[in-house]
C-alpha cells in the first residue's frame, strides 16, 4: 500500500480492457463524477492514462468504488443454521465446519465428491491457488470456471489454428491504423466503451463492419461513410463468414503468397466456401448478396497484399456462445488468413475477452483440463513440471475433469459431486438453463460460496465466506491483449473479509495437507511464474517487483510469453520491442506474436474447413421467435456488483425485452407493456420496449437480472462439441402478453406508419 494520502495506480474491477485508474483516499480532492457524494467511501476514482482506455472510463468504472461499501457487503462468515437461516459465525467455526464436511464427503464418496467452480474476475494469484488447492488438497478432477462461458470457443479455435490462445495477439492500440475492421458478435460501445476510440481510424476510412442482428450502439458507429452494418438472422454468422470467404476465392482476392508460405489447409477451406455463394447465403442469413460482396471487397482492399492500411477480424461472445461457436471462430480465422492478416504488424485476428481476468484465469489452472502455464493436465511432462513446483508426486494429481455445464448438471446426481466450492461466480444467474442449475445446487450436501456481496448463489449456500475485492488486495491481472498488469491495494477491507489466498491456506491446513499455500500475493506469483516456465503461457520472467519497476520507469505492463531466459528470436516471440524500461538481458515480453511463425510444430497456421448447422434450438411453430441476449452499458455480468450502485441502478432498474413494433403489434404486446417469453426450459416476464433496432423475427433481453426477469431461465445449455461453451446467444421462444392482450392504439399504429 502506498504512503497515506498518495494515490494508488491500479485498474478497473470490471471488463478485460482493464482501464487504468488512480485510487486516492476519500479525503483527497479529485475531480469527476465519481467524486461527488463519496465522503463515506474509502477511495475516490479518477481515470489514468493507459493504452487501453486513453484516460477514459465508462460509467461502471467511475462508480466502482461504491461496491467497496455496498450496504449489504459481506463482512463476516455466515453459516446456515437448523432454522434454515444464514447467521454470523466466527472464521474458526465456519472453516472447521467446511473442512469437516469436505473431509467426511471425500472419505465416504472419494475425492471426486467435491467440486470447485471459479471465476474470470479472480486475480492470477487466486486463480492459480484455486487450481492448486483443487488438485493437491482436494485431489478432485472437478474444477472449471465461468470463463467456460466467455472464451472457450475462441480459445479452442485459436489453439487449433495458431497453436496458441491469446485474446488479442497484438496491442489494442494497433487497431488505430487499420483501414478496415470486421467486428462480429461484440457490442463494445456498451460493454467496454473506452475501446471505441481504437475504431476511429477504420471509421474514418469507411471500413468499420459490424455484424449483429441488432442495430446496437456499436452497429450505429458503422453509419454512412463510416462502415457497414450487416444484420443477419440470429445464429447464422457462420454463413456470413463462409460467403465472405467464397467471394475472396471467386474474385481472386486471396493473398496467395501468404497462404502458400504461412498456412496449411487452404484448399479444403476453399472447397467448403464454394458451397456458399452470396445468393445462397442470403437465403439463410438474410444479408443481401451485394452487401456480402461489398464487405469482402472492402476487407481485401484494406489488406496488406493489396497495398491497404491493414485489416483486422475481431470476434466476441455473440458468435462464440453458440453450439457452432468454435466453427464460427474457425471461419473468422480462415477469413483473416486468406487475407494474409495474422502475424503482420497492423493487421490480424483477435478475440475480445470479456471478463476482467478471463485471459489469465484460464492460463493458470481453473479450466478442467489445464495446469498453470496453459499446460494440458494429461501431458506427462507438464504434470511432472508442475508437480515438482508443488512438491507432490505427479501420479497424485487427478486427470481432466468435465467442463462447466456438464459439471453443474452433475451436481448432487448419482456419482456426481456432493459438495461445491464457488469462488467469484454467480451461477444461479449467469449459467444457462438457470432453473436446472438452481435445482442441482439444492441437491448438494454442501454448498460453500466465497463472495463480496450476498449474490443469488451465496443466498443458497450452507456457508458464505466474505472475501476482499479489487481495491483491497494486491495481485496481477492479464487483460485482453495478454498484458500482465498490477492490481494494488488502496483500502482496508471491511469487517472480517479475508483474501481467498488466506481462506485456501486455512482450509488446506485443516484438511491436513503438507502442500504449502503462501498468502503473500507476490510470493504466490513467484510460484506461479515457476510453474508456468516453459509452458505456452510462460510468465517465468515476471514478478511483482519487475512489473512495479517497469511501470515506475514508464512502462505499461509486460506481455506474455515472457520467459526468464533471454528472448528466443527464432520462435513466436519475434516482434518483441527493441528496447524497454527493463534491466538489460531480461526478456521484454511479447506484444505481438506470430510475426515470423505460428506456434504450431511446422510454424504454419492451420486452416480448417467448417460448415453451418444452425442453432440447436431453432424457431418452430410453438416458439417462432429468436431470442438473443447481451449486456447493457450500466450493468456487468450477473449484476451482483452494479445493482448495488445507485447511479447505475436508477438508469436501468429492471429487465426489459426489446421487440420490433411489427412483432409487438402482431403478438399484442404494446410498448411499455409486460411481455411473457417462454422457451422449452422456462418462462420469464419483462417490460417491453418497441424498437426498430431489432429484427422483426427477434427479441433481445439483457442477462443482468435474477428472478422472474432472469433471461438465462430461457437459454439452452446445449454446448459446442469442441469447446463445451453453451449456446447462450440464440434460442427459440414464444412471445405473448403477460396478462390480457390490449387492443392496438392510435399511438401503436402511428409508430408503424413512421417505420414504414
Amino acid at each position: 500500500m502506498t504512503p497515506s494520502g498518495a494515490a494508488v495506480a491500479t485498474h478497473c474491477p470490471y471488463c478485460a480492457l482493464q482501464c487504468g485508474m488512480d485510487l486516492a483516499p476519500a479525503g483527497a480532492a479529485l475531480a469527476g463524477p465519481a467524486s461527488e457524494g463519496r465522503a463515506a467511501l474509502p477511495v475516490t476514482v479518477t481515470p489514468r492514462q493507459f493504452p487501453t482506455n486513453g484516460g477514459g472510463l465508462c460509467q461502471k468504472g467511475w462508480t466502482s468504488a461504491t461496491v467497496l461499501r455496498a450496504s449489504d457487503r459481506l463482512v463476516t462468515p455466515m453459516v446456515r443454521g437448523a432454522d434454515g437461516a444464514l447467521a454470523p459465525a466466527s472464521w474458526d467455526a465456519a472453516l472447521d465446519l467446511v473442512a469437516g464436511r469436505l473431509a467426511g464427503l471425500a472419505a465416504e464418496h472419494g475425492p471426486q465428491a467435491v467440486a470447485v467452480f471459479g471465476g474470470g474476475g479472480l486475480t492470477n494469484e487466486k486463480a492459480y491457488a484455486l487450481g492448486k488447492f483443487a488438485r493437491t488438497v482436494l485431489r478432485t478432477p472437478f474444477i472449471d470456471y465461468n470463463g467456460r462461458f466467455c472464451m472457450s470457443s475462441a480459445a479452442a479455435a485459436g489453439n487449433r489454428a495458431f497453436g496458441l490462445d491469446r485474446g488479442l495477439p497484438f496491442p489494442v492500440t494497433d487497431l488505430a491504423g487499420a483501414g478496415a475492421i470486421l467486428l462480429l458478435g461484440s457490442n463494445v460501445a456498451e460493454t467496454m466503451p473506452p475501446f471505441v476510440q481504437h475504431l476511429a481510424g477504420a471509421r474514418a476510412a469507411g471500413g468499420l463492419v459490424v455484424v449483429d442482428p441488432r442495430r446496437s450502439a456499436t452497429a450505429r458507429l458503422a453509419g454512412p461513410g463510416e462502415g457497414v452494418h450487416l444484420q443477419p438472422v440470429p445464429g447464422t454468422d457462420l454463413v456470413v463468414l463462409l460467403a465472405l470467404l467464397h467471394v475472396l476465392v471467386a474474385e481472386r482476392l486471396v493473398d496467395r503468397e501468404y497462404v502458400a508460405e504461412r498456412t496449411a489447409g487452404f484448399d479444403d477451406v476453399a472447397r467448403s466456401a464454394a458451397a456458399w455463394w452470396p445468393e445462397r447465403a442470403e437465403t439463410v442469413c438474410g444479408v443481401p448478396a451485394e452487401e456480402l460482396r461489398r464487405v469482402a471487397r472492402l476487407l481485401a482492399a484494406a489488406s496488406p497484399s493489396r497495398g491497404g492500411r491493414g485489416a483486422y477480424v475481431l470476434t466476441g461472445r455473440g458468435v462464440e456462445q453458440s453450439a457452432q461457436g468454435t466453427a464460427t471462430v474457425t471461419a473468422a480465422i480462415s477469413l483473416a488468413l486468406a487475407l494474409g492478416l495474422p502475424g503482420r504488424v497492423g493487421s490480424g485476428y483477435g478475440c475480445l475477452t470479456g471478463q476482467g481476468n478471463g485471459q489469465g484465469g484460464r492460463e493458470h489452472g481453473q479450466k478442467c483440463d489445464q495446469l498453470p502455464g496453459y499446460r494440458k493436465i494429461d501431458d506427462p511432462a507438464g504434470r511432472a513440471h508442475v508437480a515438482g513446483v508443488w512438491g507432490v508426486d505427479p501420479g497424485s494429481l487427478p486427470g481432466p475433469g468435465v467442463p462447466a455445464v456438464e459439471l453443474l448438471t452433475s451436481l448432487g446426481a448419482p456419482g456426481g459431486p456432493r459438495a461445491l466450492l464457488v469462488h467469484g461466480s454467480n451461477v444461479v444467474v449467469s449459467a444457462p438453463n438457470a432453473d436446472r442449475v438452481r435445482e442441482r445446487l439444492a441437491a448438494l450436501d454442501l454448498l460453500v460460496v466465497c463472495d463480496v456481496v450476498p449474490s443469488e448463489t451465496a443466498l443458497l449456500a450452507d456457508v458464505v465466506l466474505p472475501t476482499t475485492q479489487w481495491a483491497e488486495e494486491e495481485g496481477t491481472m492479464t487483460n485482453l491483449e495478454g498484458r500482465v498488469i498490477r492490481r494494488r491495494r488502496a483500502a482496508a477491507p471491511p469487517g472480517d473479509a479475508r483474501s481467498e489466498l488466506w481462506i485456501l491456506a486455512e482450509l488446506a491446513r485443516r484438511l491436513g495437507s503438507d502442500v504449502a499455500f503462501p498468502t503473500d500475493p507476490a510470493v504466490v506469483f513467484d510460484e506461479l511464474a515457476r510453474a508456468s516456465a516453459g509452458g505456452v503461457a510462460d510468465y517465468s520472467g515476471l514478478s511483482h517487483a519487475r512489473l512495479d519497476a517497469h511501470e515506475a520507469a514508464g512502462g505499461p505492463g509486460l506481455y506474455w510469453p515472457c520467459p526468464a531466459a533471454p528472448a528466443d528470436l527464432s520462435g513466436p516471440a519475434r516482434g518483441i520491442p527493441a528496447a524497454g524500461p527493463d534491466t538489460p538481458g531480461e526478456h521484454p515480453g511479447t506484444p505481438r506474436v506470430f510475426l515470423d511463425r505460428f506456434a504450431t510444430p511446422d510454424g504454419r497456421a492451420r486452416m480448417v474447413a467448417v460448415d453451418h448447422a444452425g442453432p440447436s434450438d431453432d424457431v418452430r411453430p410453438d416458439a417462432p421467435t429468436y431470442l438473443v441476449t447481451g449486456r447493457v452499458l450500466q450493468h456487468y455480468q450477473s449484476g451482483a456488483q452494479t445493482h448495488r450502485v445507485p447511479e447505475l441502478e436508477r438508469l436501468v432498474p429492471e429487465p426489459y425485452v426489446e421487440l420490433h413494433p411489427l412483432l409487438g403489434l402482431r403478438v399484442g404486446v404494446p410498448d411499455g407493456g409486460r411481455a411473457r417469453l417462454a422457451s422449452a426450459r422456462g418462462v420469464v416476464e419483462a417490460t417491453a420496449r418497441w424498437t426498430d433496432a431489432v429484427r422483426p423475427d427477434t427479441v433481445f433481453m439483457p442477462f443482468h437480472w435474477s428472478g422472474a426477469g432472469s433471461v438465462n431461465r430461457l437459454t439452452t445449455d446445449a454446448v459446442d462439441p469442441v469447446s463445451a461453451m453453451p449456446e447462450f446467444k440464440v434460442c427459440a421462444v414464444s412471445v405473448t402478453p403477460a396478462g390480457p392482450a390490449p387492443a392496438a392504439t392510435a399511438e401503436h399504429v402511428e409508430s408503424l406508419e413512421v417505420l414504414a
Side-chain angles (χ1 to χ4, degrees):
M1 202 166 171
T2 58
S4 177
V8 175
T10 189
H11 296 268
C12 181
Y14 292 109
C15 79
L17 204 58
Q18 286 295 285
C19 296
M21 58 169 55
D22 286 328
L23 303 181
L30 284 177
S35 66
E36 298 172 9
R38 291 287 182 263
L41 298 179
V43 296
T44 54
V45 173
T46 192
R48 176 167 59 90
Q49 282 292 331
F50 193 71
T52 59
N53 61 307
L57 289 176
C58 73
Q59 293 175 349
K60 294 187 290 291
W62 272 114
T63 58
S64 55
T66 302
V67 186
L68 296 171
R69 292 295 182 268
S71 60
D72 58 350
R73 176 74 190 271
L74 294 171
V75 295
T76 188
M78 306 285 285
V79 173
R80 195 171 299 280
D83 61 355
L86 287 169
S90 69
W91 273 108
D92 280 341
L95 293 175
D96 285 347
L97 172 62
V98 171
R101 296 284 298 279
L102 292 178
L105 289 168
E108 183 177 357
H109 302 285
Q112 70 277 5
V114 182
V116 177
F117 201 91
L122 301 179
T123 62
N124 286 315
E125 293 80 0
K126 290 181 176 182
Y128 169 81
L130 190 60
K132 176 183 174 183
F133 179 82
R135 285 153 179 143
T136 63
V137 179
L138 300 177
R139 297 191 178 184
T140 179
F142 294 131
I143 176 172
D144 212 58
Y145 80 128
N146 62 16
R148 179 71 62 177
F149 305 153
C150 174
M151 285 292 300
S152 53
S153 290
N159 278 321
R160 183 166 65 182
F162 303 131
L164 182 147
D165 158 38
R166 201 178 86 182
L168 295 184
F170 48 80
V172 69
T173 49
D174 282 3
L175 295 171
I181 296 174
L182 174 63
L183 181 59
L184 302 112
S186 185
N187 183 15
V188 290
E190 294 198 76
T191 59
M192 47 178 68
F195 183 92
V196 169
Q197 64 190 289
H198 304 296
L199 305 176
R203 293 177 67 195
L208 177 62
V209 182
V210 179
V211 182
D212 196 317
R214 298 170 63 223
R215 193 169 69 253
S216 64
T218 305
R220 291 195 292 273
L221 298 175
E226 296 175 304
V228 183
H229 173 211
L230 303 183
Q231 198 167 6
V233 173
T236 64
D237 308 271
L238 179 52
V239 173
V240 171
L241 290 163
L242 292 171
L244 295 178
L245 272 165
H246 177 101
V247 175
L248 294 184
V249 176
E251 299 189 4
R252 299 185 178 182
L253 300 174
V254 172
D255 185 343
R256 289 284 183 171
E257 182 179 350
Y258 173 99
V259 166
E261 292 180 356
R262 302 207 59 187
T263 75
F266 172 76
D267 289 344
D268 289 341
V269 168
R271 278 191 291 270
S272 69
W276 289 100
W277 60 94
E279 284 75 16
R280 183 199 174 201
E282 179 180 349
T283 66
V284 177
C285 70
V287 177
E290 283 311 306
E291 284 290 275
L292 294 168
R293 290 190 172 91
R294 174 189 173 196
V295 167
R297 294 164 185 162
L298 182 156
L299 293 170
S303 67
S305 66
R306 309 188 77 81
R309 288 169 42 188
Y312 289 91
V313 177
L314 306 177
T315 62
R317 303 303 83 71
V319 299
E320 297 161 14
Q321 289 177 332
S322 163
Q324 56 184 27
T326 302
T328 303
V329 177
T330 296
I333 291 173
S334 292
L335 178 69
L337 290 168
L339 290 165
L341 308 182
R344 278 179 161 160
V345 176
S347 293
Y349 162 79
C351 166
L352 300 179
T353 306
Q355 295 186 83
N357 202 31
Q359 181 76 54
R362 68 183 182 277
E363 293 168 357
H364 298 300
Q366 288 192 98
K367 283 184 78 174
C368 68
D369 59 348
Q370 287 181 192
L371 290 171
Y374 221 123
R375 287 182 162 89
K376 287 291 185 182
I377 198 168
D378 55 3
D379 171 48
R383 291 170 64 87
H385 174 82
V386 174
V389 174
W390 289 346
V392 300
D393 180 350
S396 69
L397 298 178
V402 297
V405 169
E406 186 177 348
L407 176 60
L408 293 173
T409 302
S410 70
L411 298 175
R418 309 298 307 174
L420 178 68
L421 310 182
V422 179
H423 293 257
S425 188
N426 189 10
V427 292
V428 169
V429 180
S430 62
N433 199 355
D435 285 346
R436 183 160 77 168
V437 172
R438 182 181 288 267
E439 292 172 1
R440 299 326 310 156
L441 293 180
L444 289 167
D445 295 329
L446 177 67
L447 175 61
V448 181
V449 175
C450 289
D451 212 329
V452 299
V453 293
S455 68
E456 288 80 0
T457 304
L459 290 174
L460 300 177
D462 300 293
V463 180
V464 181
L465 303 177
T467 62
T468 54
Q469 56 176 309
W470 63 290
E472 301 159 354
E473 61 189 18
E474 295 283 331
T476 60
M477 306 285 278
T478 305
N479 79 346
L480 80 172
E481 314 155 288
R483 190 194 307 252
V484 185
I485 55 179
R486 283 277 281 116
R487 172 177 282 186
R488 296 185 176 90
R489 189 172 189 256
D496 282 335
R498 304 289 180 92
S499 168
E500 280 96 334
L501 297 179
W502 179 86
I503 294 170
L504 295 174
E506 287 295 307
L507 285 175
R509 181 175 63 82
R510 284 170 166 81
L511 288 166
S513 174
D514 294 329
V515 178
F517 279 84
T519 59
D520 181 339
V523 175
V524 176
F525 187 91
D526 289 344
E527 184 183 306
L528 176 160
R530 293 195 302 275
S532 76
V536 174
D538 192 333
Y539 283 40
S540 61
L542 300 175
S543 65
H544 282 206
R546 184 181 176 193
L547 291 168
D548 288 341
H550 172 84
E551 187 171 312
L558 294 161
Y559 299 78
W560 71 263
C562 187
D568 176 7
L569 299 183
S570 66
R574 285 300 296 269
I576 59 177
D582 295 285
T583 303
E586 291 183 320
H587 193 292
T590 316
R592 300 174 186 86
V593 292
F594 313 142
L595 294 190
D596 281 346
R597 68 189 311 275
F598 296 99
T600 57
D602 62 3
R604 291 173 176 264
R606 301 292 187 264
M607 299 181 75
V608 180
V610 294
D611 204 3
H612 174 69
S616 64
D617 184 19
D618 212 340
V619 291
R620 53 192 181 273
D622 65 328
T625 303
Y626 290 108
L627 166 68
V628 297
T629 68
R631 301 183 184 182
V632 299
L633 171 64
Q634 292 78 16
H635 290 300
Y636 182 73
Q637 302 293 75
S638 71
Q641 296 157 282
T642 52
H643 287 315
R644 289 167 168 84
V645 179
E647 298 93 327
L648 302 178
E649 191 71 352
R650 281 195 297 269
L651 291 169
V652 190
E654 64 175 6
Y656 62 88
V657 55
E658 288 184 354
L659 66 165
H660 195 281
L662 290 171
L663 177 61
L665 189 64
R666 180 167 62 82
V667 300
V669 176
D671 185 25
R674 297 287 291 176
R676 179 183 185 273
L677 275 60
S679 75
R681 292 153 296 281
V683 176
V684 303
E685 292 186 6
T687 300
R689 294 185 182 180
W690 279 17
T691 174
D692 65 349
V694 67
R695 294 172 53 95
D697 59 359
T698 301
V699 294
F700 165 81
M701 275 192 74
F703 56 72
H704 309 294
W705 284 270
S706 60
S710 174
V711 72
N712 278 329
R713 299 173 67 187
L714 304 179
T715 53
T716 175
D717 53 8
V719 299
D720 180 285
V722 179
S723 69
M725 175 179 270
E727 191 162 46
F728 281 106
K729 289 304 182 191
V730 59
C731 69
V733 297
S734 63
V735 184
T736 56
T745 66
E747 182 181 351
H748 297 156
V749 174
E750 182 181 350
S751 297
L752 293 173
E753 290 173 348
V754 169
L755 290 172

